[in-house]
Amino acid sequence: MRMLSFILFSLSLSTLSAQENCNTFFLFEEGVEWAYQTLNKKGKVESTSIQTVQDLKQSGNQLTATLAVTLKDKKGKELYSGPSEITCDGEKIFFDISDMLPQNVTEMGGSGEVTMEGDGFLLPNNLKAGDQLPDSRNTVNVDMGAMSMKTEFSMTNFEVHGIEEV
């Protein structure tokens, strides 16, 4: 019985440790909201992305946050709203590239199929100035029956220039 208690206690500590390590860049707590703005060369807002943690699920040392994502244009008009997921294992945070595709995108062009696949984006938790982030290669496939298109894009040469507290 003592051995079982010790094992359960050890597992709970590793789960808590993984959850603590996941809060390096994003606060993995329900209800937390963060926003990003894209600015043009003149410093004016081009778009705003608002992400709210709606749900957290723990599986072993992996923590998955379900986010409500809203993208707005420079005038504040909503362009997209939908779910997304971020997964953290205590050492790295993973963004699935397919979550970046709005679920209603096929409605924009009538019938057809749009898919995204690839590496996603990986963000190590222990970043320091000078670190290189992993490269990522991804593909968007659009099949409209008579016409199909494949677009490949890469995110490369990401480097940490500095760390500062905000």
Side-chain angles (χ1 to χ4, degrees):
M1 185 66 173
R2 284 185 189 174
M3 183 57 98
L4 178 61
S5 296
F6 176 75
I7 291 170
L8 291 175
F9 177 72
S10 298
L11 286 174
S12 69
L13 284 181
S14 68
T15 298
L16 288 174
S17 175
Q19 191 164 352
E20 267 181 31
N21 289 340
C22 291
N23 288 328
T24 305
F25 298 107
F26 305 101
L27 195 53
F28 277 75
E29 290 181 19
E30 286 185 40
V32 169
E33 181 177 285
W34 58 85
Y36 301 96
Q37 290 185 321
T38 304
L39 308 176
N40 65 19
K41 291 180 181 179
K42 295 181 181 179
K44 294 190 179 190
V45 175
E46 288 292 315
S47 66
T48 302
S49 175
I50 302 165
Q51 301 171 3
T52 306
V53 179
Q54 289 188 315
D55 186 44
L56 292 173
K57 287 196 172 90
Q58 183 85 38
S59 177
N61 71 336
Q62 187 167 301
L63 183 63
T64 301
T66 301
L67 308 175
V69 178
T70 303
L71 181 63
K72 297 181 179 183
D73 67 10
K74 60 185 171 187
K75 294 181 180 178
K77 179 183 173 195
E78 188 175 299
L79 300 173
Y80 166 74
S81 181
S84 182
E85 285 188 350
I86 297 177
T87 303
C88 177
D89 67 4
E91 294 180 21
K92 59 191 171 303
I93 297 172
F94 176 75
F95 302 84
D96 186 349
I97 196 73
S98 63
D99 283 345
M100 296 179 183
L101 182 68
Q103 292 176 335
N104 62 351
V105 75
T106 55
E107 297 169 14
M108 294 180 207
S111 63
E113 185 176 327
V114 179
T115 58
M116 268 180 115
E117 55 191 32
D119 300 332
F121 185 70
L122 193 66
L123 184 64
N125 272 343
N126 58 351
L127 293 175
K128 54 191 174 303
D131 283 356
Q132 291 286 126
L133 297 178
D135 290 347
S136 173
R137 294 184 182 3
N138 303 281
T139 306
V140 178
N141 295 300
V142 180
D143 184 0
M144 303 298 284
M147 178 182 80
S148 62
M149 179 174 65
K150 178 178 181 177
T151 304
E152 296 178 355
F153 63 97
S154 299
M155 296 182 280
T156 61
N157 300 321
F158 280 94
E159 183 179 333
V160 179
H161 291 274
I163 304 286
E164 58 185 69
E165 211 167 298
V166 180

